[in-house]
Amino acid sequence: MRRMWPEEFNTIFEQAEEVMVTPQSIAATDEQEGHPEPHMPRKALKLRLPMALYERVWPLAEMRFRLAEGTFAGQAVTMITTNPHYHAWHPADGGKDEHISDAGHAYSTEHVVVHFLLDDVREKVPA
């Protein structure tokens, strides 16, 4: 089944940073057993999202979605949240931004840093 990423959240990937992640729990286990790096780094997208937006995206966690638009169109993403192999990249505190409203009141916006595994799933079309 091919799930497409909801269009309403397409903009979150505009500021995404492409990074490489390595499954930490697998790496630690293999090093203890004397196997030097049999694990493979994976491409991922690192995003800093406002907490309110993160709470709206949270129900999509750990599911694989295809992206139809933007820089990463033709690829699939899976938000890392509870996968023990990627514990180091679970959602983390992204800090706060302090603002002053037009009325002069101070307020802050909390952020969360999240990672999405990135897979190329473009289908090859014969010429």
Side-chain angles (χ1 to χ4, degrees), residues 39-52:
H39 52 309
M40 299 265 309
R42 302 252 332 251
K43 283 186 186 179
L45 298 175
K46 179 180 177 181
L47 293 94
R48 182 175 181 251
L49 302 175
M51 181 62 84

Side-chain angles (χ1 to χ4, degrees), residues 44-77:
L45 298 175
K46 179 180 177 181
L47 293 94
R48 182 175 181 251
L49 302 175
M51 181 62 84
L53 180 55
Y54 172 70
E55 289 172 354
R56 291 180 52 211
V57 174
W58 170 257
L60 306 176
E62 302 294 341
M63 290 187 280
R64 188 175 193 205
F65 291 91
R66 288 178 182 241
L67 300 175
E69 298 177 11
T71 307
F72 304 103
Q75 298 189 41
V77 293

Side-chain angles (χ1 to χ4, degrees), residues 5-57:
W5 182 255
E7 288 181 23
E8 66 184 296
F9 299 124
N10 279 343
T11 58
I12 69 171
F13 297 108
E14 290 175 0
Q15 301 298 318
E17 174 187 350
E18 197 167 331
V19 297
M20 296 298 283
V21 296
T22 303
Q24 291 299 314
S25 61
I26 293 173
T29 303
D30 289 334
E31 287 172 11
Q32 290 170 357
E33 294 176 5
H35 303 290
E37 298 191 42
H39 52 309
M40 299 265 309
R42 302 252 332 251
K43 283 186 186 179
L45 298 175
K46 179 180 177 181
L47 293 94
R48 182 175 181 251
L49 302 175
M51 181 62 84
L53 180 55
Y54 172 70
E55 289 172 354
R56 291 180 52 211
V57 174

